[in-house]
Amino acid sequence: LFRSTPGPQKALIRQTMQDRALGQRDRINSMLTDTMGPKFDVGQMRNMITEERAAAADPLYSQFRQTQVFPTPEIKALIPRLQKSGAFNKAQELSGITGEPINMNFFTTGDQKAFPTAQTWDYVKQALDSRINAAYEGGDKALGRALVKLRNETVAAVEKAPGGQVWKQARGEFADYSHLLDNLQAGRDTFLGGRNAMTADELRAELSSLSAPERTARIAGARMAAAEAMGNTLKGDSTLRNQLLSPNNQEKLKILLGDNRANRLIKSLEQESRIADQTGNIIGNQNTGASGAMRSERV
């Protein structure tokens, strides 16, 4: 009916709605900034970590590197599984690359016993994070779930062990560069990559053992991926909007951001979707045309 009506008002309405459609990318970007923060600058990460360590005070970082975590029965039970996962070998590799030696003599005999430090267990967690990312990127969800379970059990056991509180406190106040990189990558995959097929419950389990800095990095990674998705194609903003509005991703947004921020973003995206649908109904699909049945229905 609209398209069969002559007059200048028709052109004015068409142009107004087309102009609004063109502004969707900027509006969605503004919504994401409001709920997830601005696009993260990876280049600033090292400076941020240095500042966080300074704020946490050098004595805590020194404790983190030196405090031994004494093996409890729970930790001892985890050792064979961690060995099987390759976490210890990867931890040694990471420590060698960074130049931070770690003690891997887990259960020495005699009077001079030496147990892994809080920093050693941090490298073990980094190793598991790396394997988890690789599993999901490779499409092996079963392996990813098993490694997430092992990581969560390891974090819980170490934090409860004598000396483990130092690790827990350090993780809450600053994060290693590798930890943040791993979680940035995981965040990038949460909605648009290898973790997109995860259920909400699986994501909730994975996030349960993250420290505050790691969770922040996870959100920053998701924000980076969203920005890139919008810029990859001409209609990337509409594709991203529809992906985030899927029922599974709406639930995952609530888990990642909390209900208030997630609901604010979802409501805004739903509004964009409704207006986009009405734009097509009023002015027609300019790219592909409309079927005869749709035209009749509109009239």
Side-chain angles (χ1 to χ4, degrees), residues 121-133:
W121 283 111
D122 205 58
Y123 276 116
V124 172
K125 181 182 175 297
Q126 286 184 48
L128 290 171
D129 287 340
S130 178
R131 288 220 60 199
I132 290 167
N133 283 343

Side-chain angles (χ1 to χ4, degrees), residues 171-183:
R171 290 181 65 235
E173 297 193 29
F174 59 79
D176 184 270
Y177 184 67
S178 296
H179 280 312
L180 294 187
L181 281 182
D182 284 339
N183 279 285

